[in-house]
Every structure is written in C-alpha cells, then in structure tokens.
C-alpha cells in the first residue's frame, strides 16, 4: 500500500511543482526532465548515476547491452548538438535507457528478475527526480523568504572561530590545483554516493536479496527532510552575504580576508531573488557524512575493504573543507548538517531491530539537539559571540555526544545481519 501511495505521489508532486514553476517563470521539473530526454541535460553526471544504480538489478549481459545502447545514444545526441553549435553535454542516453529498462522489466519479465530490475530502476529514477525537485525547491526558498538570517549565523559562528574565513584564506594559499580537486569533489558528491551504493548492492542479482538498509535510502530521506529547514532558517552563506558574490546585497566585501564587525543587534537582511537560501543545515555535510558512515562496514556487518573506507574518509574531509573554504557555509551549518545525518541514519539503520528504546532515544536526542541549535543560532547569537569558548564548547559537545551515542548503538561490537523481505524470500524459494 505504501509503495502504491509513494508511486502515485511522485507524479502529483512533479505536476504541482511544474505549475508553480510556470507561474513564477522558471524551469520546472517536467521541463527539466524533458530536456534530459530530447534536449540538453542540466547535469551530465546525475543521469548516468541513475542508470548505473539501475544496473545493479539486472544481469551482467543486460548491463552490457544497456550500457552500449546508452553510450551510442549519447554519442549521437552529443554529435548533433556539436554540429548545431550547442554546448557539449551527455545524459540523454542514460535517461532513455533507464526508462526503457523499467518498461521492459514491467512488460516482459517476471518473478525475482522483474522485481529486482524494477526496484533498481525505481532507485535510479528517484535519484534523478530528486535533483529536479531540489532545483525547484531552491527557487521556492527564494520566493518564500525575501530576508535571510546571515547576521545571526555570523554571530553564532564566532563561537566556532569563524572557520569559513579561516579555510577561505587557507585555500587561497594552497592555490588553484587544490581548489580544482575540492571543487570536483564538491559537485560530484552523487558520483561518490553511487560508487558506494553499487558496492553495497553488488550481490543483489546473484543472491536475489536486497539489504535492509543501504546508502540510497539515507540519501533520499535526507533530501526530503533537510531542505524543509531552508525555509524555516533561510541563510545564503558568507561568500554572498559578506563577500563579492552578493549581487550588491552583501553587507560588505569581507569574505575571506576580514571577519566583519560583530553587530550585537542582528536583524533579518533583505537579499536578492537569485541566491537560494540553502545553507542551514549543510546538506553537503549531511550527505558526505552518510557516505562516510556507509563505507565503514559491508551490509553483512563485516569491515569494509580499505579502498572504500579510505575513499569515504577522503570524500568527507574534502567536502567539509570545500563547504567552508568556498564560502558556501558557516561552521554552525556543518554542525547542524551532521546532527541531521546522524538522526536520519539512526531512524533508518537496521530496521530488523525494530523501534526499541535504543532507537527512540537516539532519534529523539537528535531532533532535540537540532532544534536547540537552530533556536540558539536564532535567539542567542549575541550571547554565543560574547562567550565564544563556552558556546563553542557546548555546540561541539552536543555533536560529539550524539556521535558517541550513535557509535555505541550501531558500531561498537555489533554486527549487522542482512535481512530479506518476506516477499523476496518467498520468491527466492
């Protein structure tokens, strides 16, 4: 029943957002999706990430055929665009083949082969559609919140030592090569997620079983929950509110050279109609932390191989450095994003263990801590700036306490046993 409701809700949501987009004069999710099929895709990596995720549910022979067809279509479309003088782009083939794969599985296959293929295709499609919805939601944050809370967050961030200004100056010293690597890591976070997800789901076809929890679930739920806070706590980031990229609305060109004078009487500041209010919480931090957590162990509870563990660690550290060093976020944004990730992950992890007190207290603690942080950033920033050592210690202690409880609950000497849904188990028999 819940699957049917979810499937029915997707087109309704897309249509509603498309209507909003048309009324406000920007591209909606259906228009963007149409471009992926017959025009110039908005992203070159997301369509392919969706297709790669869909391929985990089919046999190796079908994977090779699907990849060959997708590459061929992309070559043809890219060639047509180049001949027409349009910019180079790929992704049409991935979206077309993903759609064809779902249709073939629905109409021609049966049994466990059909279920696996449709399950994987649905995950790939959701990944692509989630980016379309996210793009529209960023416009919604601008339309619904003409003022931003950056003055409040600047004061609160003083308790952490103004890390965005510190990392901004560090990246200036490190030079363009480091900047280029961090920029690639920052924008290609979905690629890292797909690598980890494919590794987690690599046994689906051979075993006929899906793990009860894997990275894609956390990614999608974070993308559903986190952006709601954008409209509750609108923030644009230091490089816009206090830097040269503020389109004339910034309070001054301070970032990253000079920390602005601390105004003890902050107020909501009006901002432009182009910059999304998407800083609080830092979703890049939440997603990168989820990648890190899912690279610690395999789905059977055994330790992950070194290459995946080191990769997850690198992606998390590089993402944190980029979010601060590029001026996209304040330090307190990152703390809120980490708390959100640990809370959502605690709600989803090991569903076979049920909702005992161990899970309820962890999720409830995360919700309370996140709410306390947001309220403090909004109503106590002057006090946080006046007593930075005390305030910073409390903020970091709350995060550290939640992280310690998370580790004790899910990692400290515990093994996770993959479970199979009753439907899949029956089909496998």
């Amino acid at each position: 029943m819940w699957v049917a409701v979810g499937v029915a809700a997707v087109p309704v949501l897309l249509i509603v957002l498309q209507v909003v987009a048309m009324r406000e004069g920007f591209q909606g999710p259906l228009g963007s999706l149409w471009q992926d099929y017959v025009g110039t895709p908005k992203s070159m990596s997301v369509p392919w990430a969706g297709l790669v995720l869909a391929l985990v549910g089919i046999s190796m022979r079908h994977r090779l055929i699907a990849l060959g067809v997708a590459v061929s279509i992309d070559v043809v479309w890219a060639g047509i665009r180049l001949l027409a003088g349009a910019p180079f782009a790929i992704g049409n083939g991935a979206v077309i083949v993903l759609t064809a794969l779902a249709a073939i599985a629905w109409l021609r296959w049966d049994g466990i082969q059909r279920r696996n293929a449709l399950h994987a295709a649905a995950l790939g499609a959701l990944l692509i559609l989630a980016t379309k919805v996210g793009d529209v939601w960023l416009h919604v944050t601008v339309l619904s919140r003409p003022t931003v809370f950056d003055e409040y967050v600047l004061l609160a961030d003083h308790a952490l030592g103004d890390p965005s200004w510190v990392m901004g100056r560090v990246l200036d010293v490190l030079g363009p090569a480091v900047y280029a690597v961090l920029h690639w890591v920052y924008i290609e976070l979905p690629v890292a997620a797909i690598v980890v997800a494919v590794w987690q789901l690599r046994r689906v076809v051979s075993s006929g079983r899906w793990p009860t929890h894997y990275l894609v679930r956390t990614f999608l739920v974070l993308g559903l929950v986190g952006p709601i806070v954008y409209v509750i706590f609108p923030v644009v980031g230091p490089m816009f509110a206090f830097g040269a990229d503020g389109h004339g609305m910034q309070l001054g060109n301070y970032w990253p050279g000079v920390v602005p004078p601390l105004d003890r009487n902050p107020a909501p500041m009006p901002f432009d109609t182009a910059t999304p209010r998407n800083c609080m919480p830092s979703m890049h931090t939440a997603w990168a932390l989820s990648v890190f957590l899912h690279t610690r162990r395999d789905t059977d509870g055994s330790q992950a191989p070194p290459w995946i563990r080191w990769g997850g660690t690198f992606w998390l550290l590089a993402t944190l450095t980029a979010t601060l060093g590029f001026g996209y976020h304040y330090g307190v944004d990152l703390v809120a994003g980490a708390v959100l990730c640990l809370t959502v992950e605690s709600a989803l992890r090991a569903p076979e263990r049920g909702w005992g007190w161990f899970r309820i207290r962890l999720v409830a603690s995360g919700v309370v801590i996140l709410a306390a942080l947001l309220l403090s950033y909004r109503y106590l920033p002057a006090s946080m700036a006046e007593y930075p050592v005390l305030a910073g210690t409390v903020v970091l202690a709350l995060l550290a306490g939640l992280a310690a409880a998370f580790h004790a609950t899910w990692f400290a000497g515990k093994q996770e046993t993959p479970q199979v849904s009753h439907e899949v188990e029956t089909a496998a028999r």
Side-chain angles (χ1 to χ4, degrees), residues 57-317:
I58 60 178
S59 66
M60 182 59 68
R61 174 175 171 271
H62 290 131
R63 290 172 190 169
L64 294 176
I65 294 174
L67 284 173
V69 174
V71 170
S72 300
I73 294 174
D74 260 357
V75 169
V76 172
W77 275 108
I80 293 174
R81 273 191 291 267
L82 290 176
L83 291 175
F88 174 79
I90 58 174
N92 304 97
V95 176
I96 292 171
V97 170
L98 173 57
T99 306
L101 177 62
I104 291 172
W106 179 266
L107 298 173
R108 301 191 59 180
W109 297 347
D110 56 20
I112 193 66
Q113 181 189 30
R114 180 174 185 260
R115 267 190 291 274
N116 283 340
L118 289 177
H119 192 161
L123 292 177
L126 281 175
L127 178 68
I128 296 173
L129 293 177
T131 63
K132 309 300 182 185
V133 173
D135 290 341
V136 175
W137 189 254
L138 294 181
H139 286 282
V140 171
T141 65
V142 175
L143 295 172
S144 61
R145 301 310 299 262
T147 61
V148 297
F149 293 166
D150 283 75
E151 288 190 34
Y152 299 89
V153 179
L154 175 67
L155 284 172
D157 207 46
H158 192 59
L160 299 181
D162 306 298
S164 182
W165 272 260
V166 174
M167 289 307 303
R169 291 194 290 267
V170 169
L171 290 191
D172 283 345
V173 173
L174 293 178
V178 174
Y179 181 95
V181 172
L182 293 178
H183 186 263
W184 181 81
V185 169
Y186 187 86
I187 64 175
E188 297 299 345
L189 181 58
V191 174
I194 291 304
V195 171
V196 176
V198 169
W199 170 72
Q200 290 182 314
L201 301 174
R202 65 193 183 278
R203 303 189 187 98
V204 166
V205 173
S206 60
S207 67
R209 301 177 177 182
W210 286 77
T212 57
H213 183 51
Y214 44 92
L215 179 61
V216 180
R217 300 174 74 237
T218 304
F219 240 66
L220 293 175
V221 174
L222 282 172
L224 180 66
V225 175
I228 296 175
V229 185
Y230 291 168
V231 297
I232 299 174
F233 206 109
V235 181
V236 293
M239 70 176 295
F240 299 103
F242 303 102
D245 294 310
H247 305 134
M249 304 294 289
Q250 68 269 31
L251 294 181
N253 294 334
Y254 296 104
W255 187 88
V258 180
V259 177
L262 299 180
D263 185 355
R264 306 292 176 172
N265 298 296
M269 55 182 288
F271 216 74
D272 62 31
T273 57
T275 307
R277 283 64 162 147
N278 62 338
C279 282
M280 183 68 72
S282 168
M283 291 307 300
H284 263 79
T285 298
W287 282 319
L289 180 57
S290 69
V291 170
F292 172 81
L293 294 174
H294 281 265
T295 57
R296 301 305 93 193
R297 289 183 179 176
D298 204 342
T299 52
D300 61 0
S302 61
Q303 189 178 55
W307 70 270
I308 198 77
R309 286 187 282 118
W310 282 107
T313 302
F314 165 76
W315 219 274
L316 174 61
L317 296 177

